[in-house]
Amino acid sequence: MAVQAEAGSPTAQPWWDGAVIYQLMPRSFSDANGDGIGDLQGLQNRLRYLRWLGVDAIWLTPIYPSPLRDGGYDITDFTDVHPELGDLAGLHRLIEAAHGQGLKVILDLVLNHTSNLHPWFQRARFAAPGSAERNYYVWSDSEERYGTAPVLFRHFEDSNWQWDELAGQFYLHRFLHHQPDLNYDNPAVQEAMLQVVEFWLERGVDGFRLDAIPFLFEREDTRCEGLPETHAFLKRLRSRVQESSRRRGRPEVLLLAEAIQPMDEAMPYLDEGELNAAFNFGLTAHLFAAVAYGQAADLVQFLTELSERDVGRGWALPLRNHDELWLGDGHLVPQEVIHRIRDGLPAARGHWLNWGINRRLAPLLNGDPRPNMALHALLYSLPGMPCIYYGDELGMGDWPGLRDRDANRTPMAWTPERNGGFSSAPDPLLVLPPITAPGYDYRVVNVEVQKSLNGSLLNWHRRMLMSRKLLSALRHGDFRVLPSGHPSMVSYVRQSLEMTVLVAVNLSGTGASTQLNLTPWQGQRVRELLWGCDFPEATEEWFVYLPAYGFGWWLLGDAELSTSSKSAAGVASRSAST
Ligand code: NOJ
């Protein structure tokens, strides 16, 4: 029991507290100028949809100039916009328009490395060894250096070092060989990257997703992840960001760590004075393992540990993203969890890439909307910031066989028209092919069609997000796991000053009944929230039945919801006509 109760004054909460984040790849989202590539104007044109859906923030994967050999995470200029996406003025318009729709804008910031085409790297390889310019990157005369650091992209690289003929030395790259790691032992590098941050703060962004943040520093005989020096730099970064926001009289911005680490190692990023949030990838893996095997015990154990730590609001909660579903080598989660996912999700077979599964959410769950909804019922009610990967709200499919992780990065499906309404360009010009796979064809799985169907996954997500908005406890409340006594069921309580919400989810493909001990709420009224239905009052042995992958959110007690929220279920019927 640890997440603090809602603070007395609402202004005490930063904007990201309980916010729902929508991740999108601008190149694949919406194309306004008809060149086949999504762009900032296209995204701006779709902001109303995102507001309608009910998210709070958009996270844009990198928008910077880049040769695009790693989806834009290979940057040649940190302070500009890729010309195919637009320009700085266009970004300004997008940020203004997003703010006008009540949406925050989070940029992806890659601090760890650059493209090998970045002028800094070109300068470094020609500069004399030991010179300031050469020292922007990490060099070695042998590949033995930092030999205990694992190779992350093991299907593409067999070493963390690349020989550079011009420099006559190896350079370090923790990712692809054309992404040299910056040398954070060089104070000039630290300062240069802090200036990059300052540049974007001046342009009014609301947050940064900090890519690959554990890898900034390297030391011998370690995994070169999350070293004390890295944490010291991040503290510096945070105080610079705070100082800059104060100076400009602006609220603080979100600093969100991408650290694929077990919870104990990810937590230090959330220490006092460091970052505001971190993805909880361990939780993601446990969620998939639970649904793969229909067993909740490990997940319940994980959630219990989570509840004992005082950082509940700092976790960002993704199911999927633009990468493979990273499970790691046994360091992130125990091998047994990985085996469960591998054996329990047949759609994962043959789709392993690096240390994870290269599939989108819906196909990974074999197109079954029930586990998909069960997982989201958890995601939307656990403490933290739920993250939706664009298209997953529709159950969009993937294109296995495309290069690298492109399988998961295909164009958003907007309408049944050509190219799914993503672009008016001739097919060969499209950034990636729209999905036409059986069961996932964009002529059926698209925003327009799903908006018009009451029972669609899209309308379901919208209703869930709207309900979440009305339930302060789900956004800011305390979190306490409730033993369910059933091997497939996870149950917990979220409690704010205004209300108490009980959540129970059945993660298996068979029905589950159990008795929950609701003694602390004995005799209180119980209302199911999503369909607006009364249940028997709370008792020590409160009976609950959940069908296969079923779930419920119940309000305990007499909390008054506003008129519009009396029945969140009403949203379902209204949404179809929106
Ligand atoms: C993590 C990003 O999510 C991934 O897409 C990228 O390839 C690596 N970092 C390297 O930047």
Side-chain angles (χ1 to χ4, degrees), residues 411-443:
M412 176 71 174
W414 295 101
T415 69
E417 277 123 50
R418 202 168 62 85
N419 301 335
F422 159 73
S423 169
S424 58
D427 298 8
L429 296 187
L430 295 186
V431 60
L432 286 169
I435 303 290
T436 52
Y440 301 98
D441 194 305
Y442 67 75
R443 279 163 290 195

Side-chain angles (χ1 to χ4, degrees), residues 23 25 59 61-62 69-75 108-113 152-153 174-176 179 209-213 215 258 260 281 321-324 326 354 404-405 409:
Q23 181 199 354
M25 305 204 77
W59 149 28
T61 54
R69 295 178 72 188
D70 180 21
Y73 288 89
D74 47 332
I75 295 166
D108 221 311
L109 189 69
V110 185
L111 293 173
N112 181 66
H113 49 266
L152 301 168
F153 282 2
R174 293 307 304 279
F175 294 93
L176 297 167
Q179 290 167 304
R209 178 255 190 195
L210 302 173
D211 182 72
I213 208 65
F215 307 108
E258 189 228 11
I260 310 187
F281 290 110
N321 60 24
H322 62 297
D323 291 326
E324 64 277 40
W326 193 276
N354 302 319
D404 194 350
R405 288 149 288 169
R409 300 174 177 183

Side-chain angles (χ1 to χ4, degrees), residues 288-289 291-292 325 340-349 357 364-365:
F288 278 103
V291 89
L325 170 61
R340 283 202 181 145
I341 297 175
R342 198 190 53 203
D343 300 341
L345 295 178
R349 267 177 226 143
I357 305 165
L364 185 56
L365 299 172

Side-chain angles (χ1 to χ4, degrees), residues 195-493:
Q195 306 235 339
V196 167
V197 172
E198 185 71 40
F199 178 88
W200 293 110
L201 287 175
E202 275 166 19
R203 271 141 198 90
V205 305
D206 304 292
F208 297 103
R209 178 255 190 195
L210 302 173
D211 182 72
I213 208 65
F215 307 108
L216 301 188
F217 283 80
E218 300 79 29
R219 292 293 177 261
E220 286 304 346
D221 302 321
T222 71
R223 286 174 68 94
C224 297
E225 293 172 19
L227 295 169
E229 294 83 351
T230 296
H231 288 291
F233 173 73
L234 295 179
K235 289 201 165 83
R236 231 188 120 197
L237 168 70
R238 171 78 185 279
S239 68
R240 277 287 276 271
V241 166
Q242 281 178 317
E243 188 188 299
S244 160
S245 304
R246 258 197 306 272
R247 207 176 47 240
R248 287 172 303 109
R250 295 224 359 162
E252 218 190 320
V253 307
L254 167 67
L255 295 176
L256 167 58
E258 189 228 11
I260 310 187
Q261 312 280 340
M263 208 153 48
D264 279 341
E265 289 174 37
M267 276 184 50
Y269 296 99
L270 303 172
D271 274 354
E272 192 58 30
E274 208 163 319
L275 306 179
N276 311 109
F279 291 101
N280 196 328
F281 290 110
L283 175 61
T284 306
H286 275 91
L287 288 170
F288 278 103
V291 89
Y293 249 59
Q295 298 288 329
D298 286 351
L299 174 63
V300 170
Q301 172 68 26
F302 189 89
L303 291 177
T304 306
E305 281 169 31
L306 183 82
S307 73
E308 282 157 6
R309 291 157 194 212
D310 200 22
V311 289
R313 296 191 200 181
W315 295 117
L317 313 173
L319 283 172
R320 291 293 295 111
N321 60 24
H322 62 297
D323 291 326
E324 64 277 40
L325 170 61
W326 193 276
L327 300 171
D329 56 2
H331 186 67
L332 175 68
V333 286
Q335 286 290 356
E336 195 178 307
V337 172
I338 301 174
H339 290 158
R340 283 202 181 145
I341 297 175
R342 198 190 53 203
D343 300 341
L345 295 178
R349 267 177 226 143
H351 296 283
W352 283 78
L353 181 73
N354 302 319
W355 298 100
I357 305 165
N358 200 21
R359 299 225 69 174
R360 254 191 187 266
L361 179 63
L364 185 56
L365 299 172
N366 205 21
D368 189 342
R370 299 168 309 160
N372 195 328
M373 291 184 196
L375 288 174
H376 280 101
L378 289 169
L379 205 73
Y380 292 159
S381 61
L382 284 168
M385 292 165 264
C387 302
I388 304 171
Y389 183 50
Y390 80 95
D392 282 352
E393 74 273 28
L394 305 171
M396 222 167 89
D398 52 19
W399 262 144
L402 291 181
R403 185 189 148 268
D404 194 350
R405 288 149 288 169
D406 283 352
N408 316 315
R409 300 174 177 183
T410 59
M412 176 71 174
W414 295 101
T415 69
E417 277 123 50
R418 202 168 62 85
N419 301 335
F422 159 73
S423 169
S424 58
D427 298 8
L429 296 187
L430 295 186
V431 60
L432 286 169
I435 303 290
T436 52
Y440 301 98
D441 194 305
Y442 67 75
R443 279 163 290 195
V444 180
V445 181
N446 66 65
V447 171
E448 189 181 297
V449 166
Q450 290 208 13
K451 256 187 169 186
S452 70
L453 300 175
N454 270 3
S456 69
L457 192 61
L458 176 61
N459 278 324
W460 179 86
H461 276 283
R462 180 170 186 255
R463 188 177 73 245
M464 294 291 281
L465 292 178
M466 207 172 271
S467 305
R468 179 186 160 86
K469 276 215 165 75
L470 303 170
L471 301 170
S472 63
L474 297 190
R475 284 176 290 130
H476 319 297
D478 282 0
F479 172 58
R480 184 200 302 181
V481 175
L482 214 59
S484 82
H486 192 287
S488 306
M489 206 187 286
V490 52
S491 49
Y492 46 86
V493 167

